[in-house]
Amino acid sequence: IAYEAGQGDGAEARWEPPRWREQLQRIRQMRSGRDAPVDEMGVHRCYDTSAPPEVMRYQVLLALMLSSQTKDQVTSAAMLRLRRRGLTVDSVLQMDEESLGQIIYPVGFWRNKVKYIKQTTAILKQKYGGDIPSTVEELVQLPGVGPKMAHLAMHIAWDSVAGIAVDTHVHRISNRLQWVKKETKSPEQTRVALEGWLPRDLWKEINWLLVGFGQQTCLPVNPRCSQCLNQDICPAAKRL
């Protein structure tokens, strides 16, 4: 699938959704307050900015692993408790699973995450000298790390944009706005579809923008269409 290179430079006309720029601009306007949970307690706020670079990157990855199917408030609190213990590769390796579980509880699927964190941390120590990998391909090989986490790790930890990070909010809203040519069934399908037309300079912004919009306005159940600036140009507004 040729969605990495040559964005729109071929002879073939590239598909893009009608009025998407107008929709995007209105979402930016609605997000201008930067007061959604993701803004105040998202992964980019969970790591120690004064830590050495490799420790900071490790903390970013750990926060991402904890954040899966967990509210930002819960992830943020768990990271704070971990950081109070001195959150490094070595400190986690020295911690037994029971202690780690007590610290990260009540994040979603915390028992599985304890196992994944211990396994991944051991791999980072052995294979990467305590740092995290710098490619999506290597990141997704780590236990408990999926494509969305890998792309966000690249954005936040390495300041590199290898692709779009698509979570349930981005997946849901992209389908509601019909930013995908045909309905997609999974976040990974949505990522491929979005990367096919969305200009690359927007790839990093779109996750932050749509996650907060999904937390505040375009909710999974009972979306607040009456408060949405896109109500008149959103294909889903009349159906919801």
Side-chain angles (χ1 to χ4, degrees):
I1 299 168
Y3 58 83
E4 279 289 357
Q7 294 289 314
D9 59 4
E12 227 178 281
R14 186 184 56 168
W15 177 87
E16 62 179 46
R19 305 189 78 170
W20 72 268
R21 290 184 186 276
E22 196 177 347
Q23 292 164 337
L24 178 68
Q25 199 49 46
R26 292 183 186 185
I27 293 171
R28 281 183 177 139
Q29 198 177 329
M30 288 183 277
R31 292 281 287 114
S32 61
R34 293 177 176 261
D35 52 3
V38 69
D39 301 305
E40 296 165 0
M41 289 167 281
V43 167
H44 66 294
R45 296 272 189 164
C46 287
Y47 61 88
D48 180 3
T49 53
S50 65
E54 67 277 8
V55 174
M56 177 210 68
R57 289 189 286 265
Y58 174 65
Q59 291 183 0
V60 168
L61 184 62
L62 228 60
L64 286 165
M65 293 175 75
L66 292 175
S67 71
S68 174
Q69 295 178 279
T70 302
K71 289 187 181 298
D72 288 327
Q73 298 92 320
V74 178
T75 301
S76 175
M79 282 296 294
L80 200 57
R81 291 192 297 273
L82 280 167
R83 283 171 53 191
R84 283 183 185 137
R85 294 281 294 261
L87 182 52
T88 65
V89 164
D90 288 334
S91 73
V92 170
L93 287 176
Q94 287 161 15
M95 213 180 288
D96 60 67
E97 290 193 6
E98 188 181 349
S99 301
L100 181 56
Q102 286 172 353
I103 296 170
I104 70 168
Y105 179 85
V107 300
F109 303 97
W110 64 273
R111 287 186 180 86
N112 287 337
K113 288 177 183 176
V114 165
K115 293 185 179 71
Y116 292 146
I117 287 169
K118 293 289 280 184
Q119 290 167 2
T120 286
T121 304
I123 292 167
L124 297 179
K125 175 77 171 178
Q126 293 157 11
K127 193 172 176 182
Y128 298 98
D131 209 336
I132 72 169
S134 58
T135 68
V136 169
E137 291 74 19
E138 289 173 293
L139 283 162
V140 295
Q141 297 299 315
L142 297 169
V145 178
K148 178 207 77 172
M149 295 181 213
H151 285 295
L152 277 176
M154 294 297 294
H155 294 181
I156 300 167
W158 292 110
D159 195 23
S160 172
V161 181
I164 299 170
V166 177
D167 73 341
T168 55
H169 294 291
V170 179
H171 172 60
R172 176 179 74 255
I173 294 165
S174 296
N175 277 276
R176 284 179 178 173
L177 289 171
Q178 292 182 6
W179 282 6
V180 290
K181 200 171 184 177
K182 58 181 182 180
E183 187 183 355
T184 52
K185 302 296 184 188
S186 69
E188 191 58 8
Q189 286 180 2
T190 301
R191 180 185 67 79
V192 173
L194 287 174
E195 287 178 5
W197 67 267
L198 189 70
R200 202 178 180 107
D201 62 346
L202 299 174
W203 286 13
K204 187 173 184 178
E205 179 192 17
I206 208 70
N207 175 271
W208 162 80
L209 209 56
L210 295 189
V211 169
F213 179 54
Q215 289 175 335
Q216 293 183 307
T217 307
C218 198
L219 307 173
V221 180
N222 301 322
R224 296 167 180 158
C225 296
S226 62
Q227 299 171 22
C228 181
L229 298 180
N230 278 325
Q231 188 182 8
D232 60 328
I233 55 171
C234 172
K238 294 175 181 65
R239 302 198 308 266
L240 295 167

